[in-house]
Amino acid sequence: MPKKQIHLAAHFPGVNNTTVWSDPASGSHIEFESFRHFAQTAERAKFDFLFLAEGLRLREQGGRIYDLDVMGRPDNVAILQALAAITDRIGLAGTVNSTFNEPLDVARKLATLDHLSGGRAAWNVVTSWDEFTGENFRRGGYLPKDKRYLRAQEMLSTAQALWDSWPADEVVADAGSGQFLRHGDAGRFAIRSDQFDISGRFPVPRSPQGRPVIIQAGDSEEGREFAASSADAIFTRHGELEAGQAFYADVKGRLAKFGRRPEDLKILPAATFVLGDTEDEAAENARQVQYQQVGPATAIAFAEQIWNRDLSDVDPDGPVPSFDPKTDDDVDSGSHISKGRASVRMYKDPVAVANEWRELGEREGLSLREVVIAKNGRHTFVGTPQRVADTIDHFVQSDASDGFVLVPHITPGGMDVFADKVVPLLQEKGSFRTEYEGTTLREHLGLAPSPTTVAAVSVEA
Ligand SMILES: Cc1cc2nc3c(=O)[nH]c(=O)nc-3n(C[C@H](O)[C@H](O)[C@H](O)COP(=O)(O)O)c2cc1C
């Protein structure tokens, strides 16, 4: 039986607090040269796609811009459109919010990217959850949380209807007969649903993939259902072996009720890596990176996200605070000290987390900063290139994932070492491509072609 193939994506670090900005090797997160270097490395390594996150409002903590994790938040579709011109095969995936955009505009941008790249576009559909981000847009909080996935679902089905509204053979452009369009009636749509009431003609002829690849990155019950019904890939946080297997089984198990097969949805956890020539060297490198990632100020910032109060006079090299977190603020409504950070939502019981941190600190004699590193700073894969390749392959072969979205800590050169040292070992194992076989991202991911087009679309929901 042929080996299960690994799918790899390269996440441009950009907005992550795991990014090391103080290292001399660290470059700009906004200049095109950084994107060029990163994309071309990932393409040289035959990755499936490049991934760009999106931040629609600068995160804040204690009323200040959260400068520790904001390196730059330029518009990602524009960046991908520029990258289309200097790459040939790698997929180009952009995160675009479904709550604060209009379907025709998003569909038009993604179809344009698909045309410019010859069929390499992907849309990571995110809903966002916080009113803080919503304030940036018309109508403040705008959409109640419980309607966000309804809107995401309708946004996606509307975008798909628009993409499908042009038959592939509509543009004839026959100079001899003078015929430009075959029927001259393409692109017509009428959508009436809970969230949308739009009609007209979609202005972009059918793109090479028909429908760009759809990625989903939410983790709630609604998010998982949305992915199972409609996404081609999930970008998830569940990157540990057992947690990954549980998530994989959960989401793949939801596909049948939507008439889909397990291979129709790829599960791709985020993963970090630190390499070394020996296991000891890799462990030491990982330790150093963790200390770079969690400097004294970052340790305090992380602790404030749990304690939900100003800890600027706490010593990061002293013990974990003995007092309890403040629990009377709601993360979603924006009254929390930390605004706009997804990770804060994971601390459902901050007092229990604080107790855990305190116990760990006392038991192991760790400072607050060391506890933050122990709890938040773990890297997914640490070891020699051989060890990392073996582990990645093991995770994929044992259905903890279908591959990984790799997030290096140095921009833009952090992927180079993975491309040079780990990818050849995965190729030797026969679990990762040595050449691109197809030209579109759908082909790289082993997805079925988009459904055939229809000439006119009418959706009533
Ligand atoms: C791995 C991962 C990556 C994400 N990346 C982004 C992002 O770049 N931009 C963004 O606005 N939201 C991002 N999100 C969060 C989404 O906004 C998601 O829609 C939100 O968490 C609400 O969905 P949920 O309640 O199902 O988790 C990400 C989530 C995960 C799990």
Side-chain angles (χ1 to χ4, degrees), residues 348-419:
K348 301 227 176 336
D349 184 351
V351 174
V353 176
N355 283 337
E356 220 179 277
W357 283 31
R358 221 174 279 124
E359 274 162 31
L360 177 68
E362 282 164 15
R363 198 173 59 242
E364 317 248 328
L366 303 179
S367 67
L368 173 60
R369 182 179 174 199
E370 288 165 335
V371 169
V372 174
I373 289 172
K375 286 291 183 184
N376 287 7
R378 239 183 64 88
H379 289 276
T380 321
F381 302 118
V382 176
T384 60
Q386 189 65 56
R387 164 69 67 93
V388 169
D390 290 348
T391 313
I392 288 177
D393 195 36
H394 174 60
F395 274 48
V396 172
Q397 304 308 329
S398 43
D399 285 348
S401 79
D402 292 311
F404 291 93
V405 178
L406 294 164
V407 198
H409 49 272
I410 297 285
T411 306
M415 199 61 90
D416 300 21
V417 64
F418 191 95

Side-chain angles (χ1 to χ4, degrees), residues 321-343:
S322 54
F323 48 89
D324 277 341
K326 203 159 144 267
T327 53
D328 49 357
D329 285 329
D330 171 27
V331 174
D332 290 353
S333 72
S335 54
H336 196 274
I337 192 171
S338 168
K339 301 192 196 312
R341 278 189 75 81
S343 55

Side-chain angles (χ1 to χ4, degrees), residues 160-167 185-189 202 453-457:
Q160 286 172 334
L162 299 179
W163 292 326
D164 290 352
S165 67
W166 278 77
D185 192 30
R188 197 192 285 278
F189 66 89
F202 186 56
T453 60
V454 284
V457 175

Side-chain angles (χ1 to χ4, degrees), residues 15 51-56 95 97 124-129 149 216-224 235-237 270 342 345:
V15 300
F51 181 90
L52 297 184
E54 178 184 67
L56 288 177
T95 303
N97 192 289
N124 178 33
V125 186
V126 297
T127 61
S128 111
W129 74 97
Y149 274 108
Q216 187 274 353
D219 198 31
S220 58
E221 176 64 24
E222 301 98 294
R224 292 179 187 208
F235 178 28
T236 163
R237 295 185 208 287
R345 291 196 310 156

Side-chain angles (χ1 to χ4, degrees), residues 49 124 214-219 223-224 226-228 231-237 247 251-252 265-270 405:
F49 61 94
N124 178 33
I214 299 302
I215 304 171
Q216 187 274 353
D219 198 31
R224 292 179 187 208
F226 174 50
D232 300 307
I234 300 189
F235 178 28
T236 163
R237 295 185 208 287
F247 181 79
V251 181
K252 297 254 181 184
L265 177 65
K266 305 294 186 239
I267 314 279
L268 305 173
V405 178

Side-chain angles (χ1 to χ4, degrees), residues 127-148:
T127 61
S128 111
W129 74 97
D130 61 312
E131 291 172 23
F132 176 71
T133 302
E135 287 170 6
N136 257 358
F137 298 87
R138 61 185 188 148
R139 286 186 256 166
Y142 184 29
L143 197 64
K145 208 168 90 186
D146 60 0
K147 281 230 163 171
R148 294 201 172 190

